[in-house]
Amino acid sequence: MWNDTAVTRMLSVRYPIIQAPMAGGPTTPELVAAVSNEGGLGFLGAGYMSPDSIRAAIRRIRQLTDQTFGVNLFIPDQNIQVEREVVKAMIHHLKSLEALPEEVGREIDSIPMENAPGDTFAQQLEVILDEQIPVFSFTFGCPTQEQIKELKSRGIRVIGTATSVVEAVYLQEAGVDAVVAQGCEAGGHRGTFLGAHPSSLIGTITLVPQIVDRVRIPVIASGGIMDGRGIAACLTLGASAVQMGTAFLASRESGAHPAYKKALLHSRDTETVITDSFSGKPARGLRNTFISWMEQYDGPIPPYPIQNALTRPIRNWAARQADPEFISLWAGQGSAQSRDASARDIVRQLIQEVERAIGKPADRDTLFYI
Ligand SMILES: Cc1cc2nc3c(=O)[nH]c(=O)nc-3n(C[C@H](O)[C@H](O)[C@H](O)COP(=O)(O)O)c2cc1C
C-alpha cells in the first residue's frame, strides 16, 4: 500500500503527508491538529516563537489532537558578523521608503542589534525536551550530536533539512532519524547550511533520488508538491513521505494574513523569486513592491537574522493595513495551485488524488505502530 512507508511506520501516522512547519504565524495549533487528525503529520513552525509561546502552542495542539505532531526550530548561525556600517546604511535605506510613517522609521532605529533572535535557541530546545513532543525538526544547520542524543533519549524523533547530498549525509552522520530533501521550488527560506546558496538550488525531482541513493535513513521530499500527482511522483523517486508548505498556506486554519492568502490564490507560475531582501537569507516568495524596490539597493544586505529584525516594523505596518506589497509572501513555485479549503478537505483531496494517480487505494486499516 502506498501509505505504508518507512516514515509512516516510524512516526506512527497513517499517511506520508507532512504539513510543513511555517514559522511566522501560518502553522496555528488548529492547522497542525487538523492535519494530524486526518492522518497526516501537522507541524508547528516555532522558529520565531518565545519559549513560553511554544509551550502554550504545544499544549493547545495536545488539546486538539491525540495524534502525532511535530515542532520545528531554526539552528542559529554562531558566526554572524554584525558590521555596523552595513547595518547603518540599511537602516538609512529602509527609512527612505516613500510613504513609510515616521513612527515606523523610529521603530527601525530602535532595534537592538546585540540581541539577535537566534540567542533563544537553547531555551526553545529546553521546552521541546521538557514537553517530550513526538517529532522535532530543524533547518538552517544542525544541532550538536549531544543535543540530538538528548532528544532521542526522550523518545523524540529528529528530522533535519538538507538542500544537497552533502548536507543529507552530514545530517545522517549527526544522528537524525530522517531527512527532508528541500528542492529549490520550495517556498520560504532555503535550509542551506554547507556550501554556497546558488549551487544548492537543486530541483526536487533531481535532489530526492540523489539523496535517497546516498543515505540509509528515510527521505522526505519537499518543494513544489501541491497535489496527489506530486506526492505519487515523489514516492516513486524513493521518498518515504512528502512535506508540503504552500499547499496549506491558504487553508482556512492557516494563520497567514488574509491579504497573503488572496495573493496566493491569485498567483501565477512565474511570480515567485528567491530574495534575501526581507530577512538577509535567501527565501522564495511572491514578487512584490518591496522586493523590486530592494533590488535597486546596491549595498550589502545585513545577514539573517539582522535584516529580518530591521524589516519587521515595515512588515508589521503593512500587515496592519492589509497591504501585500510590503509583507513577505513566502510561497513555492506551485502557489497558483493553492486551495481555498479547510486543511481537513485538503488532506482528504490529496489522498484521493494519490489514489487516482497510482490506481490503488490507500490502506485505511494501517495499524498505528506504537
Ligand atoms: C511561509 C513558509 C514558512 C516556512 N517556514 C519554515 C520553517 O519555519 N521551518 C522549516 O523547516 N521550513 C520552513 N518552510 C519551508 C518548508 O518546510 C518546506 O520546505 C516548503 O514549504 C516546501 O515547499 P512548498 O512550499 O512548495 O511546499 C517554510 C515555507 C513557507 C512557504
Side-chain angles (χ1 to χ4, degrees):
M1 291 297 165
W2 67 268
N3 59 321
D4 180 13
T5 73
V7 164
T8 56
R9 286 193 293 275
M10 179 168 75
L11 304 182
S12 304
V13 294
R14 199 174 290 258
Y15 299 106
I17 299 174
I18 301 174
Q19 161 258 303
M22 294 183 278
T27 50
T28 58
E30 287 70 24
L31 174 58
V32 175
V35 173
S36 290
N37 282 335
E38 283 308 307
L41 179 68
F43 239 106
L44 177 76
Y48 299 127
M49 292 168 74
S50 70
D52 283 348
S53 357
I54 296 175
R55 197 184 295 278
I58 291 172
R59 295 195 173 162
R60 178 77 186 130
I61 294 167
R62 285 194 158 127
Q63 282 171 355
L64 298 171
T65 185
D66 56 2
Q67 301 296 316
T68 310
F69 66 92
V71 180
N72 171 277
L73 291 178
F74 298 151
I75 305 302
D77 183 348
Q78 307 293 356
N79 304 314
I80 284 293
Q81 304 290 337
V82 186
E83 288 183 43
R84 300 261 145 218
E85 290 314 309
V86 171
V87 174
K88 253 170 115 182
M90 180 53 68
I91 290 176
H92 181 74
H93 180 63
L94 292 175
K95 284 172 62 186
S96 75
L97 188 60
E98 229 178 284
L100 196 73
E102 258 178 50
E103 68 270 17
V104 181
R106 277 198 296 275
E107 254 184 88
I108 298 173
D109 268 334
S110 63
I111 290 162
M113 278 308 115
E114 285 75 23
N115 198 5
D119 293 347
T120 54
F121 176 71
Q123 293 154 19
Q124 293 173 320
L125 194 65
E126 270 309 306
V127 177
I128 304 293
L129 290 164
D130 197 36
E131 289 290 327
Q132 295 199 339
I133 56 157
V135 190
F136 169 69
S137 80
F138 58 85
T139 186
F140 303 164
C142 185
T144 64
Q145 290 200 353
E146 291 67 40
Q147 287 168 330
I148 294 179
K149 256 198 210 135
E150 179 69 23
L151 285 155
K152 290 170 83 168
S153 75
R154 310 232 180 161
I156 301 171
R157 293 293 188 176
V158 182
I159 301 175
T161 306
T163 59
S164 64
V165 169
V166 71
E167 288 177 351
V169 172
Y170 184 97
L171 293 169
Q172 171 177 269
E173 299 316 313
V176 302
D177 295 301
V179 63
V180 171
Q182 187 190 43
C184 65
E185 302 93 325
H189 285 100
R190 307 290 308 142
T192 304
F193 62 98
L194 297 175
H197 276 281
S199 48
S200 300
L201 290 173
I202 306 162
T204 304
I205 199 167
T206 317
L207 183 64
V208 169
Q210 294 192 73
I211 292 185
V212 166
D213 285 351
R214 289 290 299 280
V215 298
R216 298 176 301 277
I217 51 178
V219 176
I220 298 161
S222 191
I225 306 160
M226 295 298 289
D227 61 23
R229 293 169 300 182
I231 299 172
C234 288
L235 296 176
T236 305
L237 293 173
S240 300
V242 296
Q243 177 162 292
M244 304 165 73
T246 306
F248 289 99
L249 261 178
S251 69
R252 305 270 157 80
E253 295 87 344
S254 155
H257 195 290
Y260 182 2
K261 291 185 182 179
K262 197 168 158 206
L264 289 164
L265 292 165
H266 289 92
S267 66
R268 282 188 308 223
D269 55 347
T270 49
E271 271 178 52
T272 68
V273 284
I274 293 186
T275 180
D276 58 358
S277 61
F278 273 111
S279 68
K281 189 188 267 298
R284 185 180 290 283
L286 299 177
R287 175 180 285 285
N288 61 7
T289 305
F290 183 80
I291 295 174
S292 299
W293 180 72
M294 282 294 291
E295 278 170 359
Q296 283 146 35
Y297 181 68
D298 49 14
I301 292 180
Y304 180 91
I306 310 294
Q307 180 71 357
N308 199 47
L310 292 179
T311 64
R312 185 171 291 121
I314 297 177
R315 288 179 279 126
N316 289 345
W317 160 68
R320 285 196 295 275
Q321 11 181 45
D323 181 356
E325 294 305 324
F326 296 92
I327 306 176
S328 45
L329 305 170
W330 303 138
Q333 286 184 320
S335 67
Q337 291 174 277
S338 298
R339 305 175 205 221
D340 180 9
S342 68
R344 185 192 71 167
D345 286 353
I346 293 176
V347 175
R348 289 184 182 181
Q349 286 164 12
L350 291 172
I351 294 162
Q352 283 175 3
E353 290 164 6
V354 181
E355 293 176 352
R356 229 176 297 140
I358 63 172
K360 279 188 211 145
D363 180 1
R364 298 194 205 284
D365 296 326
T366 300
L367 289 173
F368 284 14
Y369 291 81
I370 285 179

